[in-house]
Amino acid sequence: MSPKIVLFGATGYTGARVAEAMTRRGLRPVLAGRDRSRLAGVADRLGGLPTGQADASDEASVRALITEGDVLVSTVGPFTQLGDTVIRAAIAEGAIYFDSTGEPPFIRRVFEHHGPAAERTRAALLTAFGNDYVPGTLAAAMALSQAGAATASVHSGYFLAGGGGQGFSKGTLRSLAGVVLEPMYSWRSGELTSEPAGRGYRTFVVRGRPKPAISIGGTEQFALPRLAATGLAPRLREVEAYLGWLGPLSKPIHLGSSLTPMIARTRLLASGFDKLTELVVKRVAEEPSAAGLAATTSYFFGEARDEAGSVLASVALTAPEPYAITADLLAWAADRAAVHGVAGTGALDAVSAFGLDTLRAGAAEAQIRPV
């Protein structure tokens, strides 16, 4: 019996788009979630797909949907609040797990905490397998592969151009707000180090103009040291991911990054920040502007430098808007994993799980291509 694909969170905005992308590939995933009537509506709209009821707070309900070797795709966030139960279910059943998170604290938890447990059950965990953070990891891995042994540092960058109106779903904004005060991380001096979001600041050239970006945690800090350790780049000492979505706010965030730990430690300030962000999130629509997304172009950069700071290789990729990228990447990955499996167990990154050439081909199917 071939492995089945279970999509958890199919009634949310991102989950519904992943379901649509899967059906375009001819897949018939089991749509899972809490609300039977909403699941039935999505399933009927997509041609009568099978459904299953599960709750992110009930591990047993998720485990009941999967068996060893099945592919579980989760779009249920915020992942720092709801993701652990689902991932424990995948580990317990020895499944292949993907998710759509963009939350760095959860990504780190998958690699450092859940990964060892998954190795014991031969489960495979691929977190952040979407716009966050596959394209930047791919661009950086391509640059590292081109630059080779002389590489000392690798940076990736994420940018958006065009668009208009509300650019993100309510669920995405809630996830972003939930991790602003959380510690981020970098890979510096050959090891993973904790630091506030925005500690690093630099510019990338986008459409011929310099655009600012601030440092964040991603999957790059786990994937690229693994790739370098194969013998490709023994001198690699630094990996940074940069977010360029915030435009002119990037510099103030960078300058204020030293205050973030103090705000997080002060209960009154942290509580006030949480209440303020929740008020903002409540005022936005559930779904982003369709017209704005259609007018959006994504750009991703990978840059490898030597010890003197000279650029050895740079790669620029372009793609459609973020939700289209996430939906198509998850649909491709689930399809391939169900047929061919993935390379390895435990917490994997996109490059180690599929190989650079296969990942490039899969990204191309999601319209992620060199500029």
Side-chain angles (χ1 to χ4, degrees):
M1 184 176 178
S2 59
K4 65 178 176 292
I5 298 170
V6 176
L7 173 59
F8 190 40
T11 58
Y13 179 76
T14 299
R17 293 200 57 173
V18 175
E20 292 165 1
M22 287 181 173
T23 56
R24 287 196 299 269
R25 297 185 68 90
L27 304 176
R28 290 186 58 80
V30 177
L31 304 185
R34 289 183 302 176
D35 192 319
R36 287 185 184 273
S37 61
R38 292 181 65 194
L39 280 173
V42 177
D44 291 346
R45 178 168 59 84
L46 296 177
L49 296 176
T51 63
Q53 192 171 26
D55 192 307
S57 64
D58 182 1
E59 182 179 330
S61 71
V62 182
R63 290 184 63 175
L65 297 174
I66 55 176
T67 58
E68 184 176 357
D70 283 346
V71 177
L72 174 62
V73 178
S74 178
T75 62
V76 178
F79 286 84
T80 52
Q81 299 174 23
L82 303 173
D84 291 294
T85 299
V86 180
I87 208 167
R88 282 196 296 265
I91 292 170
E93 297 299 326
I96 301 174
Y97 166 93
F98 297 90
D99 68 43
S100 61
T101 190
E103 302 164 40
F106 182 75
I107 295 168
R108 185 172 187 176
R109 200 151 73 225
V110 171
F111 279 93
E112 295 185 339
H113 176 70
H114 293 300
E119 289 178 3
R120 292 191 290 271
T121 64
R122 302 195 60 76
L125 311 177
L126 285 110
T127 187
F129 207 96
N131 179 78
D132 313 323
Y133 289 91
V134 172
T137 297
L138 173 60
M142 291 168 63
L144 177 60
S145 181
Q146 292 175 20
T151 306
S153 66
V154 182
H155 292 181
S156 65
Y158 295 76
F159 293 84
L160 297 173
Q166 183 179 318
F168 300 99
S169 71
K170 180 174 285 190
T172 299
L173 292 174
R174 183 167 280 119
S175 293
L176 288 172
V179 300
V180 169
L181 297 181
E182 295 291 325
M184 299 292 170
Y185 49 85
S186 177
W187 199 79
R188 193 177 293 114
S189 299
E191 62 182 9
L192 199 69
T193 59
S194 298
E195 63 180 38
R199 177 181 175 183
Y201 176 90
R202 60 159 292 180
T203 60
F204 291 77
V205 177
V206 184
R207 290 182 169 180
R209 299 180 63 184
K211 299 291 184 180
I214 57 171
S215 61
I216 54 170
T219 56
E220 288 90 333
Q221 291 91 342
F222 298 95
L224 300 179
R226 288 178 173 180
L227 181 59
T230 63
L232 178 62
R235 299 179 185 175
L236 182 67
R237 305 298 291 168
E238 177 183 287
V239 176
E240 291 272 21
Y242 286 87
L243 182 66
W245 295 355
L246 302 174
L249 292 176
S250 300
K251 192 68 171 183
I253 291 172
H254 165 63
L255 294 175
S257 63
S258 60
L259 300 177
T260 304
M262 182 270 292
I263 295 173
R265 290 193 303 267
T266 306
R267 181 176 300 178
L268 184 61
L269 292 176
S271 176
F273 178 84
D274 290 342
K275 290 178 180 178
L276 177 62
T277 55
E278 184 58 27
L279 285 174
V280 173
V281 170
K282 282 183 176 180
R283 296 173 65 90
V284 304
E286 289 290 337
E287 299 184 359
S289 163
L293 289 181
T296 298
T297 302
S298 301
Y299 291 91
F300 309 97
F301 298 90
E303 184 180 88
R305 293 176 179 260
D306 64 15
E307 292 176 348
S310 299
V311 176
L312 300 174
S314 60
V315 172
L317 304 176
T318 187
E321 46 90 4
Y323 294 98
I325 295 169
T326 295
D328 287 338
L329 280 173
L330 282 170
W332 169 81
D335 188 5
R336 183 168 183 89
V339 176
H340 301 287
V342 295
T345 60
L348 305 174
D349 61 85
V351 178
S352 62
F354 294 108
L356 186 55
D357 291 339
T358 298
L359 182 62
R360 289 177 64 178
E365 291 188 31
Q367 301 183 63
I368 304 169
R369 301 186 176 97
V371 175

